[in-house]
């Protein structure tokens, strides 16, 4: 029996051997949170795909990524492979790609190809994180063959979304639809650039909603687990493109396929606009995604659990296993064996649906939760918190905020101290390192168990910590001063307004 593969990086079509909220604009309406969303006006149902296609093709772009760094893999290049398992996501056949000319030293080479959707008339574009990840340069090709260089505004690895910007005015931009009103069996179109064929439109139906691929469980992230599943054909190059309804309204950002080979063979998956809008608005307004958590562990209710717990009032929902201190769940009075059934009136029958609903909110938002206790329905309202247990807004991590510089240490210093690696702290000023008690001259040998030798090593670890959804963002430093005395420091990187 053939293995099945989830090609989560469909759009990252490597050319060297490889595959909101809408913001400011005078024609847009402000929502209650201060972001700007182009809302759809009612229109008659179309009985073919031409209107939807015409409304969409000029709002979908081709994104080419370039890198000046020599990449791993075959043929001098490689895939943007965010999960590090090439064969699992693409299948072995995808390695058979033409060999490209050898890269000249320092010359950027095209390393990936994907799609994006224009959000505003002044050039904000949403795409997948894996389309732009690791790129030194991004080039955007519009449907009229205009080409622009793009900059990354912000990315969110957990939801695999990114916001980029080109310097342009008067662009056609997408109209947002409501992914929550989609129905199974409804026609949808996928628009993108499969294999580099610009403005390709494919059609299918919504096969399922709130589909979990299970790809975030092993990553430890509060990411997207609730995909729109369709049978619209997607192929390498489609990721980051638009999934639209027959009115031409955006209902999802195409992100993954389910395949034996890495090319389309039956199912594809899109991130719902309910999540896209919120993530894009957060990136624009705050520089990073504001994540709210409920603060409890849950299990999906099934017949066996229901019988074991004597639950008869509901057949679906999330069974509460434990409740955290300083959490919304505790404020709501949730207890072990309660069954969560809805948030703000929207049913949450499984974990994917719960995550999708929570991804719509920020810390400080009030929600109404319905749950079953002792076979009686209970409805309560509470304020959502972040992973730190408060309602503060998380600021974008900036490496400079640690408050120091780093200096390479000489081999003589290493020999004198009996160490084989390290980087020395210098120029201490107010910041996270000074708050932790670190002084000039301290030599860091390890951070969170990883060996460090350069400032780049420290920044790499810092960025990984700040991108994570861990409750505590801490650098645990091991090192010594030039006197030879060893010290350990815990640097708190959590920074909320």
């Amino acid at each position: 029996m053939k293995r099945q593969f989830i090609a989560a990086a469909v759009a990252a079509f490597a050319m060297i051997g490889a595959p909101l909220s809408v913001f400011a604009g005078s024609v847009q309406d402000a929502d209650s949170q201060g972001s700007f969303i182009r809302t759809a006006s009612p229109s008659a149902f179309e009985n073919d795909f031409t209107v939807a296609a015409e409304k969409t093709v000029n709002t979908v772009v081709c994104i080419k990524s370039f890198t000046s760094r020599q990449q791993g893999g075959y043929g001098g290049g490689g895939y943007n492979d965010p999960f590090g398992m090439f064969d699992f996501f693409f299948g072995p056949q995808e390695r058979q790609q033409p060999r490209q000319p050898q890269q000249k030293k320092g010359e950027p080479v095209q390393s990936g190809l994907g799609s994006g959707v224009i959000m505003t008339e002044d050039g904000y574009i949403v795409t997948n994180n894996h389309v732009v990840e690791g790129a030194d340069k991004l080039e955007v090709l519009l449907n009229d063959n205009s080409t622009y260089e793009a900059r990354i505004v912000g990315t969110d690895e957990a939801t695999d979304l990114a916001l980029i910007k080109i310097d342009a005015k008067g662009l056609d931009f997408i109209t947002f639809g409501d992914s929550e009103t989609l129905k199974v069996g409804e026609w949808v179109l996928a628009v993108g650039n499969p294999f580099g064929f610009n403005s390709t439109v494919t059609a299918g139906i919504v096969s399922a909603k709130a589909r979990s691929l299970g790809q975030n469980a092993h990553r430890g992230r509060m990411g997207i687990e609730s995909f729109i599943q369709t049978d619209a054909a997607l192929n390498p190059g489609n990721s980051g493109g638009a999934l639209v309804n027959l009115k031409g309204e955006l209902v999802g950002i195409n992100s993954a396929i389910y395949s034996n080979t890495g090319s389309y063979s039956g199912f594809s998956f899109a991130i719902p606009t309910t999540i896209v809008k919120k993530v894009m608005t957060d990136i624009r307004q705050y520089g990073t995604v504001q994540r709210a958590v409920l603060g409890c562990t849950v299990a999906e209710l099934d017949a066996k659990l229901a019988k074991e717990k004597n639950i008869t009032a509901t057949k679906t929902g999330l069974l509460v296993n434990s409740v955290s201190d300083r959490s919304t769940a505790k404020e709501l009075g949730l207890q072990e064996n309660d069954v969560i059934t809805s948030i703000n009136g929207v049913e949450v029958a499984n974990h994917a649906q719960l995550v999708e609903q929570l991804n719509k909110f920020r810390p400080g938002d009030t929600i109404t939760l319905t749950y079953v206790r002792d076979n009686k329905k209970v409805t309560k309202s509470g304020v959502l918190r972040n992973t730190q247990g408060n309602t503060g807004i998380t600021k974008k991590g900036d490496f400079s905020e640690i408050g120091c510089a780093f200096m390479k240490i000489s081999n003589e210093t290493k020999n004198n101290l009996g160490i084989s690696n390290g980087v020395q702290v210098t120029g201490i000023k107010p910041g996270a390192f000074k708050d932790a008690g670190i002084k000039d001259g301290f030599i860091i040998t390890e951070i969170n168990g990883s060996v460090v030798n350069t400032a780049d090593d420290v920044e790499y670890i810092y960025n990984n910590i700040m991108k994570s959804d861990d409750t505590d963002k801490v650098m645990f430093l091991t090192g010594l001063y030039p006197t030879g005395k060893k010290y350990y420091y815990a640097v708190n990187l959590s920074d909320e307004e």
Side-chain angles (χ1 to χ4, degrees), residues 102-330:
Q102 187 174 0
Q103 174 186 354
K104 296 180 182 179
K105 187 175 181 180
E107 179 184 346
V109 294
Q110 188 172 336
S111 56
L113 179 69
S115 302
V117 183
I118 301 174
M119 301 284 100
T120 64
E121 62 87 24
D122 60 344
Y124 281 95
I125 297 169
V126 64
T127 184
N128 285 140
N129 175 65
H130 70 257
V131 173
V132 303
E133 188 174 31
D136 295 316
K137 175 185 173 183
L138 293 174
E139 191 176 275
V140 171
L141 176 67
L142 273 56
N143 193 40
D144 64 1
N145 288 327
S146 301
T147 302
Y148 297 85
E149 191 165 328
R151 63 179 175 87
I152 296 176
V153 178
T155 63
D156 184 49
E157 184 181 359
T159 54
D160 193 25
L161 290 170
L163 182 66
I164 65 175
K165 175 75 166 63
I166 60 174
D167 292 327
K169 298 289 184 182
L171 300 176
D172 288 330
F173 60 101
I174 201 79
T175 298
F176 265 82
D178 185 358
S179 58
E180 288 196 343
T181 63
L182 273 180
K183 296 180 180 179
V184 174
E186 183 174 340
W187 280 105
V188 285
L189 303 183
V191 185
N193 305 281
F195 302 114
F197 294 112
N198 290 353
S199 305
T200 296
V201 180
T202 55
I205 63 169
V206 176
S207 306
K209 294 179 64 178
R211 179 69 75 196
S212 174
L213 302 184
Q215 66 187 42
N216 286 290
H218 68 280
R219 299 168 68 196
R221 299 190 176 278
M222 302 184 303
I224 169 66
E225 293 188 15
S226 186
F227 290 89
I228 300 167
Q229 179 182 321
T230 81
D231 62 357
L234 296 188
N235 280 294
N238 265 118
S239 276
L243 185 73
V244 300
N245 60 24
L246 291 194
K247 298 176 185 177
E249 301 163 357
L250 186 74
V251 291
I253 295 296
N254 295 316
S255 184
I257 63 176
Y258 192 72
S259 173
N260 289 317
T261 65
S263 296
Y264 174 77
S265 62
F267 295 119
S268 52
F269 301 89
I271 303 167
T273 52
T274 51
I275 294 175
V276 175
K277 287 192 292 185
K278 192 263 183 182
V279 170
M280 293 299 100
T281 300
D282 281 358
I283 289 175
R284 179 76 190 279
Q285 292 184 354
Y286 308 109
T288 189
V289 178
Q290 306 301 312
R291 288 198 166 85
V293 297
L294 198 54
C296 60
T297 61
V298 296
E300 293 183 9
L301 186 68
D302 56 22
K304 181 180 178 181
L305 269 177
K307 183 177 181 180
E308 180 183 322
K309 304 293 183 179
N310 194 29
I311 297 169
T312 58
T314 182
K315 294 181 179 179
T316 61
L318 286 307
L319 182 72
V320 176
N321 290 326
S322 65
V323 176
S324 302
D325 291 337
R326 300 177 63 215
S327 68
T328 306
K330 196 171 188 69

Side-chain angles (χ1 to χ4, degrees), residues 35-156:
S35 62
F36 290 83
I37 301 173
R38 183 181 184 180
T39 54
S41 57
S43 62
F45 180 84
E46 302 292 341
N47 58 9
D48 65 24
F49 306 144
T50 57
V51 172
E54 288 169 0
K55 286 183 177 180
T56 308
V57 289
N58 290 325
T59 69
V60 176
V61 302
C62 178
I63 301 174
K64 298 177 182 178
S65 61
F66 295 82
T67 179
S68 56
R69 298 185 298 273
Q70 198 73 20
Q71 296 181 341
Y74 56 96
Y79 286 85
N80 291 335
D81 183 5
F83 309 118
M85 294 185 289
F86 180 95
D87 283 337
F88 180 76
F89 290 108
F90 293 100
Q93 291 95 324
E94 288 301 312
R95 296 189 180 231
Q96 306 304 318
Q97 297 288 343
R99 188 178 291 270
Q100 299 290 321
Q102 187 174 0
Q103 174 186 354
K104 296 180 182 179
K105 187 175 181 180
E107 179 184 346
V109 294
Q110 188 172 336
S111 56
L113 179 69
S115 302
V117 183
I118 301 174
M119 301 284 100
T120 64
E121 62 87 24
D122 60 344
Y124 281 95
I125 297 169
V126 64
T127 184
N128 285 140
N129 175 65
H130 70 257
V131 173
V132 303
E133 188 174 31
D136 295 316
K137 175 185 173 183
L138 293 174
E139 191 176 275
V140 171
L141 176 67
L142 273 56
N143 193 40
D144 64 1
N145 288 327
S146 301
T147 302
Y148 297 85
E149 191 165 328
R151 63 179 175 87
I152 296 176
V153 178
T155 63
D156 184 49

Side-chain angles (χ1 to χ4, degrees), residues 462-477:
Y462 171 89
N463 288 335
N464 282 341
I465 293 172
M466 297 308 292
K467 285 192 298 184
S468 76
D469 290 312
D470 293 339
T471 300
D472 298 314
K473 297 184 186 300
V474 182
M475 274 185 169
F476 293 103
L477 273 57

